[in-house]
């Protein structure tokens, strides 16, 4: 196995270990730090927050069609509370993920790029955030997750799934996102509301959207090496 295969293999293992790092039980949505940065007030492993109203309003500025979960919670409190205790909400603050990400950027000299962030913060990719840079003090390549704006800093949030308009590949989070503020779900006749346009989403109706992140392969391999086959294993038991 090559060095790149080993590295991405460890990244896939970290994705699995995330499930054991979340805390069970109901928890209220916490207030955000308010300074517009995702990691400013919590360290890796801390509970995720959904953003307060002021931060949520800033996150819905004209340049961003996406919202933080706190805004979704105004109409969908139960769904938002469930999200807040899920592995999706912890995807950026998991200490195992953060450690492996630092190792990956360092050992590949930044060539890992946003491969991991595509799944751990889809909206960072959609909004062009999460650039890798060379740290002048340490000499290492780093990806500063604490600099992500609120919509990206909430990890795999509501809009990470409900604004997907196209699945370009079953794996490695190759997705297209709508930019008009419409939220999509597997409901054929969604009720109108004053917050956002609603529409039927074929992608949100089946497991292929889950496969976008729960199938992971090393893109450098020929053919690509399958590292995580969660969707494939599920589909073998319950074929679509």
């Amino acid at each position: 196995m090559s060095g790149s295969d080993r590295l991405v293999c460890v990244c896939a293992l970290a994705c699995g270990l995330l499930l054991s790092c979340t805390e069970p039980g109901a928890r209220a949505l916490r207030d955000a730090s308010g300074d517009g940065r995702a990691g400013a007030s919590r360290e890796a492993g801390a509970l995720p927050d959904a953003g307060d109203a002021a931060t949520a309003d800033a996150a819905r500025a004209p340049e961003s069609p996406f919202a933080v979960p706190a805004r979704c919670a105004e109409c969908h409190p139960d769904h938002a509370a469930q999200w807040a205790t899920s592995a999706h909400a912890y995807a950026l603050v998991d200490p195992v993920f953060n450690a492996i990400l630092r190792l990956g950027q360092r050992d590949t000299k930044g060539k890992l790029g946003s491969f991991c962030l595509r799944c751990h913060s889809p909206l960072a990719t959609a909004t062009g955030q999460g650039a890798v840079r060379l740290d002048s003090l340490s000499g290492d390549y780093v990806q500063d997750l604490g600099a992500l704006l609120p919509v990206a800093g909430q990890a795999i949030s509501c809009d990470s799934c409900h604004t997907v308009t196209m699945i370009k590949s079953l794996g490695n989070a190759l997705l297209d996102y709508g930019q008009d503020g419409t939220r999509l779900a597997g409901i054929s006749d969604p009720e109108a509301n004053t917050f956002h346009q609603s529409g039927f989403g074929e992608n949100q109706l089946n497991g292929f959207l889950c496969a976008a992140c729960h199938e992971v392969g090393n893109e450098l391999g020929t053919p690509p090496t399958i590292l995580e086959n969660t969707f494939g294993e599920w589909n073998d038991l319950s074929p679509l």
Side-chain angles (χ1 to χ4, degrees):
M1 182 183 290
S2 69
S4 60
D5 284 339
R6 285 196 299 271
L7 173 62
V8 185
C9 231
V10 174
C11 290
L13 175 61
C15 292
L17 287 176
L18 172 61
L19 294 174
S20 66
C21 294
T22 58
E23 295 184 24
R27 290 184 182 274
L29 300 177
R30 300 178 63 206
D31 290 336
S33 61
D35 68 352
R37 298 193 302 128
S41 65
R42 66 177 186 268
E43 298 178 352
L47 287 170
D49 58 60
D52 60 18
T55 305
D57 285 337
R60 294 188 65 248
E63 64 271 14
S64 173
F66 307 111
V68 295
R71 291 306 301 266
C72 306
E74 294 174 13
C75 293
H76 307 284
D78 292 341
H79 295 82
Q82 292 167 8
W83 167 85
T85 59
S86 71
H88 283 175
Y90 282 77
L92 280 181
V93 299
D94 170 39
V96 176
F97 167 70
N98 278 268
I100 294 299
L101 182 65
R102 287 192 295 271
L103 176 67
Q105 298 298 357
R106 186 193 70 191
D107 287 0
T108 65
K109 299 187 184 302
K111 292 181 181 179
L112 183 62
S114 289
F115 181 82
C116 301
L117 212 56
R118 286 187 214 163
C119 284
H120 283 259
S121 177
L123 296 185
T125 303
T127 55
Q129 300 180 58
V132 179
R133 62 178 177 81
L134 179 62
D135 184 75
S136 58
L137 295 178
S138 67
D140 292 334
Y141 285 85
V142 297
Q143 195 169 24
D144 186 6
L145 303 184
L148 296 177
L149 296 176
V151 291
Q154 300 297 315
I156 306 165
S157 60
C158 313
D159 281 353
S160 297
C161 296
H162 287 287
T163 61
V164 172
T165 57
M166 180 181 293
I167 303 169
K168 295 185 285 187
S169 174
L170 291 185
N172 292 357
L174 299 177
L175 303 166
D176 282 341
Y177 293 87
Q179 302 292 318
D180 62 357
T182 300
R183 270 62 176 189
L184 304 172
I187 302 173
S188 59
D189 56 345
E191 294 183 8
N193 64 84
T194 58
F195 181 70
H196 59 72
Q197 295 295 318
S198 301
F200 171 74
E202 181 70 30
N203 295 316
Q204 285 75 14
L205 192 60
N206 55 51
F208 291 127
L209 181 55
C210 305
C213 280
H214 292 281
E215 286 285 303
V216 181
N218 183 356
E219 298 171 335
L220 300 179
T222 307
T225 304
I226 300 300
L227 302 173
E228 181 183 336
N229 190 35
T230 305
F231 172 80
E233 293 169 352
W234 170 82
N235 196 42
D236 287 343
L237 296 174
S238 178
L240 295 174

